[in-house]
């Protein structure tokens, strides 16, 4: 029988590089760099709720970390450390090796060190806590948008949700559309570099995990402003443009979750510098009660599909 400690030693413990004390004691010890505050976030993935039973272990290792690094990116923080709590129905060596491969490949790319966690038997569940650093005044908060700001999006939304619709049999994708959407769903790329580059440029930011309208709505609420989006200016992935189901494409674009793009606001004088980072300008922040509206080029309201994914709906 494999013990909890063998699992940790074989699959997760690595020598500490940047932590003052890493895995193996009651708690890890970390030291933030001078002048930085810690950005701390946690996200849980449950089998049957956030991923299908039998999901690929390597993708899960990637995605469980990616969704947390995305939260750090949305704060403009540099990832530094992570904690991994995992419940496993059994000690499956091949599963664990694949999971840890996916986890560490992404961790290495973004300089994230695993410094602790918890391992227990139970229905498959993964909870990761990620810790990053950011100069306090430059953190990209949800409550800092102002009337007059532009609204920006890092890249097209909707492919992850379209991939999920494909898996659920609601649409049939093939070729590159299919592989693009499934890659987006299973192996999202956290926009860490962009988040960091937006320090001092963007005023507020959030990552799109629950849908563009829902997540931008959180910025509007927290900042006490309204957002107006231009329908024609929303970037569209090829798979969305060509999926042959306009209603579904629209729902994915506006309300599809799991893309992990960044939506952010910035003052107008920063336009050229943000354009140079490859983001798309999709609208503006205006005075008024918190809301997100979408209008077409002729000024007509584009009716929004049902708001984003609510875990308790
Ligand atoms: P404790 O009983 O003090 O909570 P544990 O026996 O749970 O300690 O864990 C032993 C050490 O291994 C701790 O340093 C803990 O942070 C680490 N650890 C446990 N599970 C994991 C994991 N899945 N990934 C990384 N580190 C882990
Ligand atoms: Mg423990």
């Amino acid at each position: 029988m494999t013990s909890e400690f063998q699992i940790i030693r074989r699959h997760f413990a690595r020598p500490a590089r940047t932590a003052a004390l890493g895995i193996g004691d009651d708690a890890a010890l970390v030291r933030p760099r001078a002048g930085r505050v810690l950005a701390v976030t946690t996200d849980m993935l449950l089998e049957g709720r956030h991923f299908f039973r039998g999901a690929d272990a390597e993708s899960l290792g990637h995605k469980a970390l990616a969704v947390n690094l995305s939260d750090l990116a949305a704060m403009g923080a540099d990832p530094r450390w992570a904690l991994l709590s995992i419940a496993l129905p059994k000690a499956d060596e091949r599963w664990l090796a694949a999971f840890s491969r996916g986890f560490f490949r992404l961790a290495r790319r973004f300089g994230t060190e695993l410094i602790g966690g918890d391992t227990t038997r139970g229905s498959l569940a993964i909870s990761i806590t990620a810790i990053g650093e950011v100069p306090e005044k430059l953190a990209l908060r949800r409550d800092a948008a102002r009337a007059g700001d532009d609204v920006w999006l890092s890249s097209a939304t909707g492919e992850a949700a379209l991939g999920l619709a494909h898996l659920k049999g609601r649409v049939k994708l093939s070729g590159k559309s299919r592989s693009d959407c499934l890659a987006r769903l299973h192996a999202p790329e956290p926009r860490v570099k962009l988040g960091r580059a937006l320090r001092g440029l963007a005023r507020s930011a959030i990552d799109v995990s629950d849908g563009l309208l829902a997540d931008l709505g959180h910025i509007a609420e927290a900042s006490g402003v309204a957002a107006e989006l231009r329908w024609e200016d929303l970037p569209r992935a090829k798979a969305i443009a060509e999926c042959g189901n306009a209603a579904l494409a629209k729902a994915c674009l506006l309300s599809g979750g799991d893309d992990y793009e960044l939506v952010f606001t910035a003052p107008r004088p920063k336009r050229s510098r943000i354009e140079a980072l490859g983001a798309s300008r999709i609208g503006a922040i205006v005075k008024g009660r918190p809301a997100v509206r979408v209008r077409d080029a002729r000024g007509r309201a584009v009716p929004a599909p049902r708001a984003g994914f609510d875990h308790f709906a």
Side-chain angles (χ1 to χ4, degrees), residues 87-91 120-124:
L88 299 160
K90 60 181 191 310
T120 182
R121 190 186 290 268
S123 317
L124 185 57

Side-chain angles (χ1 to χ4, degrees), residues 219-240:
I219 287 185
E221 280 289 340
S223 301
V225 295
E228 294 196 332
L229 301 185
R230 295 177 299 267
W231 171 244
E232 287 81 3
D233 290 349
L234 296 178
R236 284 149 171 91
K238 207 160 170 293
I240 291 283

Side-chain angles (χ1 to χ4, degrees), residues 102-122:
F103 177 94
F104 281 112
R105 184 179 299 135
L106 185 65
R108 218 174 304 120
R109 281 181 52 213
F110 290 110
T112 307
E113 184 170 29
L114 183 64
I115 56 168
D118 203 18
T119 305
T120 182
R121 190 186 290 268

Side-chain angles (χ1 to χ4, degrees), residues 12-62:
F12 299 118
R14 300 279 196 278
R17 288 178 296 107
T18 65
L21 183 64
I23 291 174
D25 214 311
D26 297 312
L29 301 174
V30 298
R31 193 181 291 118
R33 283 173 289 196
R36 310 288 168 109
V37 291
L38 296 178
V40 185
T41 184
T42 195
D43 246 315
M44 185 154 64
L45 294 184
L46 300 180
E47 184 178 71
R49 182 97 205 141
H50 303 98
F51 56 89
F52 294 115
R53 201 186 171 85
D56 178 65
E58 190 167 341
S59 300
L60 272 181
H62 173 101

Side-chain angles (χ1 to χ4, degrees), residues 3-276:
S3 77
E4 172 191 338
F5 301 103
Q6 283 167 325
I7 292 176
I8 298 166
R9 188 155 34 77
R10 271 189 216 150
H11 299 287
F12 299 118
R14 300 279 196 278
R17 288 178 296 107
T18 65
L21 183 64
I23 291 174
D25 214 311
D26 297 312
L29 301 174
V30 298
R31 193 181 291 118
R33 283 173 289 196
R36 310 288 168 109
V37 291
L38 296 178
V40 185
T41 184
T42 195
D43 246 315
M44 185 154 64
L45 294 184
L46 300 180
E47 184 178 71
R49 182 97 205 141
H50 303 98
F51 56 89
F52 294 115
R53 201 186 171 85
D56 178 65
E58 190 167 341
S59 300
L60 272 181
H62 173 101
K63 185 163 179 176
L65 181 59
V67 301
N68 281 281
L69 296 188
S70 175
D71 282 323
L72 294 182
M75 296 303 289
D78 295 315
R80 296 293 310 275
W81 304 288
L83 295 128
L84 165 67
S85 293
I86 186 162
L88 299 160
K90 60 181 191 310
D92 177 338
E93 287 295 326
R94 281 186 48 196
W95 192 96
L96 281 159
F99 178 87
S100 93
R101 209 180 313 125
F103 177 94
F104 281 112
R105 184 179 299 135
L106 185 65
R108 218 174 304 120
R109 281 181 52 213
F110 290 110
T112 307
E113 184 170 29
L114 183 64
I115 56 168
D118 203 18
T119 305
T120 182
R121 190 186 290 268
S123 317
L124 185 57
I126 303 148
S127 173
I128 290 180
T129 299
I131 305 171
E133 289 178 341
V134 60
E136 184 172 2
K137 296 229 163 61
L138 300 183
L140 306 174
R141 300 166 47 138
R142 295 180 184 186
D143 61 1
R146 287 201 219 148
D149 280 2
D150 293 318
V151 178
W152 297 83
L153 184 61
S154 54
S155 188
T157 53
E159 281 176 297
L162 193 60
L164 184 62
H166 170 81
L167 293 180
K168 289 184 164 172
R170 290 179 56 206
V171 66
K172 190 153 170 35
L173 303 175
S174 59
K176 189 162 159 16
S177 282
R178 178 165 166 272
S179 54
D180 283 354
C181 291
L182 293 180
R184 278 285 214 147
L185 181 65
H186 294 313
E189 175 70 10
R191 303 297 180 200
V192 172
K193 276 215 186 94
L194 177 65
R196 187 179 208 291
L198 290 175
R199 289 180 191 168
L201 289 180
R203 250 202 271 262
S204 67
I206 190 168
D207 64 329
V208 181
S209 54
D210 293 338
L212 177 60
L213 298 187
D215 288 313
L216 182 55
H218 294 314
I219 287 185
E221 280 289 340
S223 301
V225 295
E228 294 196 332
L229 301 185
R230 295 177 299 267
W231 171 244
E232 287 81 3
D233 290 349
L234 296 178
R236 284 149 171 91
K238 207 160 170 293
I240 291 283
E242 294 174 0
C243 88
N245 178 338
L248 179 64
K250 182 179 172 194
C252 289
L253 197 66
L254 295 175
S255 303
D258 258 4
D259 287 307
Y260 303 99
E261 293 301 336
L262 298 183
V263 59
F264 55 96
T265 81
R268 285 158 149 253
K270 310 287 188 193
R271 272 184 190 174
S272 59
R273 289 180 62 194
I274 294 175
E275 253 154 33

